[in-house]
Amino acid sequence: MKKIHYIPVLISFGIAITLSGCFDLDKSPEGMLSSANALSSSSEMQKYLNQFYESGVKIHPGGLGAGGIAFGDMCSDNMVGASPQVRLSGLMTLSNASNLSNYNHIRNLNFMLANAGNNKEESAEKKQCLGEAYYFRAWYYFQLVRDYGDVAWVEDMLEMSEANVPRNSRLVVVDHILADLNQAIAHLSEQNSNATMRVHRDVARALKSEIALFEATWQKYHKAKNDAFYSKEVTDDKIKNYFEQARDAAKAIIDRGVWAIYSTGDKPYQNLFVTLDLSANREVLWWKKYNAAENIGHSVTRYINEGGGQTGISRSLIDDYLTAEGKIFTTSERAVAQKTYGNELSPSVRDPRLSQTVCTPGTQMKPDGLIYQFPPLHVTTYHQNTTGYSLLKFNEYNTSYAASVTGEHKAQAPAIQRRYAEVLLMYAEALAELDGAANEHLIKAALKPLRDRVKMPEIDFDREYNTDPAYPFHHLNKYIQVVRRERRIELACEGLRFDDILRWAAADELIVGKRPSGALFTGSTLQEQNTSNGYYKGVLVPGKNIQINDQGYIDPYKVILPAGFGFKTNRDYLLPIQERMISLTEGLWKQNPGW
């Protein structure tokens, strides 16, 4: 048998645990410091918990490429990077397998929970600390389940003892996670704002809704395809129960009446993501603040403030936005609008969230007044755009801190961890999955604030239902399809799309064999600007430094991926387990399907 070793180590802000290796089951201990009376005060517990506010949160990227909130959708059908994402391309190998490092954080939290009795206080502060510990343990376990499926649930502190650690069914682990979140909800404080910048009861409810919805849809849609990724013991009643838990957790937040959709100003959706201080914003339940003056920043604005960032928005996402009248944007309408660059993006033509997410001609890009004209398709630096559609969301066009515009790690757009819009969308999706027809009025009421923010018509399921056989979700009922589209639009480019593709088992509809395209080039004003006197100075040469498909659209992966993405649906829904891990557990852990 292999040993799990827990090694408490003092660090600057309190007592933490550093484990021997990353879920390393056989490495001998290098030493152990006494943990007697550790965490004996609420102040000490809070300082100890600070480490998880660094590793257990979402962040904006500090560099180029897929990752973080702003660039996470490059691993999806929403955004297109300079080179194809490895997992979407089906090119991952066993050498890509990573250490299960989240177990380090889980064991640190287990240490805290095991030693919480050393704190004899009967205080709200102690309860809050316990709630935070349960919350973060649930969060780290969810990352493991999402990435690997079945994992080992470990919650006891084992001191120099032997233990078998087989993988538990993901259903067992998810039930433990939801139980942890119930504990978090019971212990965390009820707050009416995000001013403390620490997790609170509604943040835990939102995570519970997210995880229950993820698992319900994962099991439902993978089971429907009879693939290797659903739990064979799952029942329809179990799936329904997860949907009900997702619905009820979101409803508990809604029923409090504390949170609301931010609707101030003429561009409320765009400005939400570049407001540096969100402490008074009622849409944001929890957020991470950046302060570049103290060397706490990211680089999103530096990369996208001229319309590039070596990325671009996909035509698939652009086409999914409804018209300003709340109708499907038809093929004939597109054909006319795309001839003049920017017309299809105009808020007078399309859902205004489109022009507050993607740059349109005339958009202010920098505080010095730089105005967007056309996408920088012709540059070779990080300002290059890949599709003809430029990301606007998160660009600090209005910053008073000049270094944010050009400085590395100087951007300060906040990293929103949880916003009320997502709660409404989770509630609506759970209702649609349970019984869309019976819940129609509740779904419409839940999503109305999102439409009202940008002065879009209220949802009409019949008007918005896309039955075109070419539309990926034409086979779904109208309630689920419409809610999925609303989720895609509202949460576009926030790094959530790939998780949706995974849980909906939708890679075959959205990824496999697909090659993302961009704006119309041939026959449009983009082509007209490719002259010696035009914006592109005639430097764009189709087939050389810009790829165009047979329909005249920009096709960035035409040469690199002639057959489209090669995502393997019998393998790539889960990541591989390190061979070393399989060896260390003497076969208790098996490799994930297809690897």
Side-chain angles (χ1 to χ4, degrees), residues 1 42 59 77 80 96 119 145 202 211 270 275 283-284 295 300 320 350 399 417-418 439 519 522 550:
M1 292 184 183
S42 297
I59 61 173
D77 58 340
V80 185
N96 296 120
N119 180 356
V145 170
D202 282 342
I211 293 171
Q270 177 186 350
T275 299
E283 180 168 349
V284 179
N295 295 316
V300 175
D320 225 1
R350 307 291 292 281
T399 183
Q417 304 298 308
R418 190 71 68 180
N439 293 318
T522 305
D550 293 341

Side-chain angles (χ1 to χ4, degrees), residues 496-516:
L496 301 174
R497 179 66 171 176
F498 186 60
D499 282 0
D500 289 344
I501 294 171
L502 294 178
R503 66 187 179 90
W504 294 333
D508 47 354
E509 290 97 341
L510 301 176
I511 303 298
V512 178
K514 304 291 193 299
R515 210 169 61 222

Side-chain angles (χ1 to χ4, degrees), residues 350-424:
R350 307 291 292 281
D351 181 333
R353 284 174 291 189
L354 176 53
S355 61
Q356 295 182 48
T357 301
V358 179
C359 298
T360 59
T363 298
Q364 181 182 345
M365 300 298 290
K366 297 182 181 181
D368 65 5
L370 177 70
I371 301 300
Y372 184 89
Q373 300 179 62
F374 296 100
L377 300 165
H378 58 311
V379 301
T380 56
T381 68
Y382 59 76
H383 286 306
Q384 183 185 38
N385 176 270
T386 60
T387 66
Y389 299 120
S390 300
L391 178 65
L392 176 63
K393 202 173 194 176
F394 310 114
N395 180 48
E396 296 168 57
Y397 72 97
N398 56 354
T399 183
S400 59
Y401 186 63
S404 293
V405 178
T406 58
E408 196 79 43
H409 303 291
K410 295 297 183 182
Q412 302 179 110
I416 297 174
Q417 304 298 308
R418 190 71 68 180
R419 61 188 181 100
Y420 188 53
E422 188 182 355
V423 173
L424 296 175

Side-chain angles (χ1 to χ4, degrees), residues 517-579:
S517 61
L520 182 68
F521 185 83
T522 305
S524 77
T525 50
L526 292 182
Q527 185 181 43
E528 292 174 5
Q529 289 293 322
N530 191 32
T531 64
S532 58
N533 296 321
Y535 182 80
Y536 299 115
K537 307 299 181 184
V539 302
L540 294 176
V541 181
K544 292 187 177 180
N545 59 356
I546 186 170
Q547 302 300 324
I548 309 298
N549 68 19
D550 293 341
Q551 291 74 45
Y553 292 95
I554 297 170
D555 189 350
Y557 298 160
K558 181 179 180 180
V559 174
I560 305 171
L561 288 179
F565 286 122
F567 184 98
K568 295 177 173 59
T569 56
N570 67 335
R571 187 193 76 170
D572 291 330
Y573 278 108
L574 293 176
L575 295 176
I577 303 294
Q578 278 192 334
E579 291 293 321

Side-chain angles (χ1 to χ4, degrees), residues 104 197 338 430:
N104 292 355
M197 298 183 70
Q338 289 172 346

Side-chain angles (χ1 to χ4, degrees), residues 230-243:
Y230 75 96
S231 301
K232 300 304 182 281
E233 71 273 25
V234 74
T235 64
D236 290 344
D237 284 343
K238 183 69 170 177
I239 294 171
K240 181 182 178 183
N241 177 259
Y242 284 143
F243 280 127

Side-chain angles (χ1 to χ4, degrees), residues 48-57 105 108-109 136 140:
Y48 180 86
L49 285 161
N50 286 344
Q51 63 184 295
F52 307 111
Y53 284 89
E54 295 298 322
S55 60
V57 297
H105 305 301
N108 289 351
L109 289 158
F136 280 113
Y140 289 117

Side-chain angles (χ1 to χ4, degrees), residues 60-232:
H60 276 306
L64 293 168
I69 296 172
F71 295 157
D73 272 8
M74 279 193 252
C75 184
S76 79
D77 58 340
N78 280 354
M79 295 174 69
V80 185
S83 58
Q85 206 275 340
V86 173
R87 189 170 178 184
L88 297 185
S89 302
L91 297 177
M92 290 189 69
T93 67
L94 284 176
S95 64
N96 296 120
S98 301
N99 290 330
L100 305 185
S101 57
N102 277 333
Y103 274 111
N104 292 355
H105 305 301
I106 289 167
R107 289 170 175 174
N108 289 351
L109 289 158
N110 288 344
F111 173 79
M112 176 177 169
L113 291 169
N115 285 278
N118 293 338
N119 180 356
K120 305 304 181 183
E121 299 173 18
E122 295 293 335
S123 65
E125 290 77 14
K126 179 182 177 181
K127 283 190 65 178
Q128 172 70 18
C129 289
L130 288 171
E132 291 182 21
Y134 282 115
Y135 172 88
F136 280 113
R137 187 167 71 175
W139 190 87
Y140 289 117
Y141 262 118
F142 177 50
Q143 312 311 303
L144 287 170
V145 170
R146 179 197 63 192
D147 291 344
Y148 300 102
D150 298 347
V151 294
W153 178 266
V154 181
E155 64 181 22
D156 296 326
M157 279 298 302
L158 305 176
E159 185 173 318
M160 305 300 294
S161 62
E162 295 184 340
N164 288 317
V165 284
R167 297 171 79 175
N168 297 110
S169 163
R170 62 182 294 145
L171 294 178
V172 171
V173 179
V174 168
D175 286 345
H176 278 302
I177 291 171
L178 296 175
D180 264 7
L181 287 169
N182 287 337
Q183 287 290 331
I185 292 165
H187 285 86
L188 289 168
S189 62
E190 194 91 276
Q191 295 183 16
N192 296 334
S193 77
N194 62 50
T196 66
M197 298 183 70
R198 299 186 80 89
V199 297
H200 51 83
R201 192 169 293 171
D202 282 342
V203 174
R205 287 174 175 139
L207 182 60
K208 180 181 179 181
S209 183
E210 177 189 2
I211 293 171
L213 184 61
F214 186 99
E215 194 61 17
T217 48
W218 177 283
Q219 297 292 346
K220 175 182 176 178
Y221 290 103
H222 283 283
K223 183 179 181 181
K225 293 186 175 179
N226 195 29
D227 64 20
F229 301 105
Y230 75 96
S231 301
K232 300 304 182 281

